[in-house]
Amino acid sequence: MQKNTTIAHQTSITKQPPLFSRLGALVLTVGVVMAFFISQLLGVYIAGKLVLPTGKSASMADIFYFGSNDGTVVSLSILIGCVLLVAMSGLLIGIRGGNVRHYLALTPFSLAVGIGMLGVLLLFMIGSQALTYVLGETPLVFVDPLYQSVSSVWLLVFAMVIVAPVYEELIFRGLLWSAIAEQFIDTDNLSHLSPRGAVVASVVTSLIFAVIHVQYGVYEISTIVVLALIFCYARFKSGSLLLPILLHIINNGAAMWQYLAQVP
């Protein structure tokens, strides 16, 4: 019974014709990446206007410059961006006549699969930490000005550990992954998700996901690609977006805990 349930979850996005054509999926991918950056800029601008001491009279350039290094502004911008991107995703799926919960795979996942994927994530985290130590890398150095300027550390923790994983997974392992994977549906059998589709969707979304993290260097971006592939595998293996969201939160939480344990 458990095996059948897992298979049903894995094929959940393919029980209806694709919502997006191949051209539509390409346009969606480009549009979503643009929307991701625009939502961040808009979030910084709105939060900067509200929070920065000179926000009401400052120029747009000053708001972006000072706001991007202010922990409170960045934290609030993450919340604003989350609302905008979640609303956009739901609207796009609704316009195309799809079911948001079904298309984004917002369904329960098997406990056995969850434990297995947690083990994979822990192995990655241990290996990544060991490599980071050996190479002398400092991947979270960009957090320093945010931590030093945020009005409440818990606001920063909430934004980076909880909110960011939710909307990033919804966009990359949810909307974009489904739109790309469904291009490889067997037209004679809409209940069959091609493994090729899952692989293509995973590689494309993982590369995009890594590249958008412009605050990191080459080493960090390469590890993000591997991490994103793990999230994609969890999405495919469980048939649920909730598992990669949970894994993403655990990963970010561990990284933030490690950072906070090292700061004075």
Side-chain angles (χ1 to χ4, degrees):
M1 178 64 71
Q2 184 61 55
K3 182 178 179 180
N4 292 338
T5 301
T6 301
I7 293 174
H9 283 168
Q10 289 177 351
T11 59
S12 63
I13 70 166
T14 63
K15 291 183 179 179
Q16 60 183 16
L19 288 188
F20 299 93
S21 65
R22 292 199 171 184
L23 177 59
L26 176 61
V27 173
L28 175 70
T29 301
V30 175
V32 165
V33 172
M34 292 178 60
F36 186 88
F37 285 111
I38 291 173
S39 68
Q40 289 185 323
L41 292 175
L42 187 59
V44 169
Y45 181 76
I46 294 174
K49 277 287 188 180
L50 296 173
V51 173
L52 294 177
T54 60
K56 293 183 178 180
S57 59
S59 67
M60 182 179 296
D62 286 339
I63 291 177
F64 286 140
Y65 178 78
F66 293 107
S68 297
N69 292 289
D70 185 280
T72 302
V73 172
V74 170
S75 297
L76 292 177
S77 72
I78 291 175
L79 271 65
I80 294 171
C82 178
V83 172
L84 293 175
L85 291 172
V86 169
M88 179 201 71
S89 299
L91 183 62
L92 284 174
I93 295 172
I95 290 176
R96 300 296 299 177
N99 179 282
V100 173
R101 182 174 177 272
H102 174 79
Y103 197 73
L104 297 179
L106 300 176
T107 57
F109 57 86
S110 162
L111 179 60
V113 174
I115 293 175
M117 290 308 308
L118 178 59
V120 172
L121 177 64
L122 290 177
L123 288 176
F124 165 80
M125 292 168 63
I126 293 172
S128 176
Q129 181 60 34
L131 185 59
T132 298
Y133 176 79
V134 170
L135 297 177
E137 298 286 344
T138 53
L140 292 181
V141 66
F142 76 94
V143 180
D144 287 342
L146 305 181
Y147 173 79
Q148 295 165 4
S149 59
V150 72
S151 60
S152 169
V153 174
W154 291 111
L155 175 62
L156 184 64
V157 170
F158 177 69
M160 297 185 68
V161 175
I162 304 297
V163 180
V166 169
Y167 78 78
E168 288 179 351
E169 291 305 310
L170 184 143
I171 290 295
F172 292 97
R173 260 65 66 179
L175 180 62
L176 292 186
W177 195 94
S178 294
I180 296 172
E182 69 180 1
Q183 303 306 314
F184 298 86
I185 292 175
D186 184 351
T187 55
D188 295 325
N189 181 11
L190 293 179
S191 65
H192 178 65
L193 173 60
S194 166
R196 181 187 175 195
V199 171
V200 173
S202 298
V203 171
V204 172
T205 58
S206 295
L207 290 175
I208 296 174
F209 178 71
V211 171
I212 65 167
H213 286 78
V214 294
Q215 70 270 35
Y216 292 110
V218 175
Y219 165 74
E220 291 82 5
I221 288 178
S222 64
T223 62
I224 290 175
V225 171
V226 178
L227 182 63
L229 288 172
I230 292 174
F231 294 154
C232 287
Y233 183 65
R235 163 71 176 83
F236 175 74
K237 185 70 174 178
S238 67
S240 172
L241 185 64
L242 300 182
L243 180 55
I245 288 176
L246 178 60
L247 295 178
H248 199 154
I249 289 174
I250 292 173
N251 178 78
N252 284 22
M256 181 60 74
W257 174 81
Q258 183 182 22
Y259 174 83
L260 294 177
Q262 294 176 349
V263 296

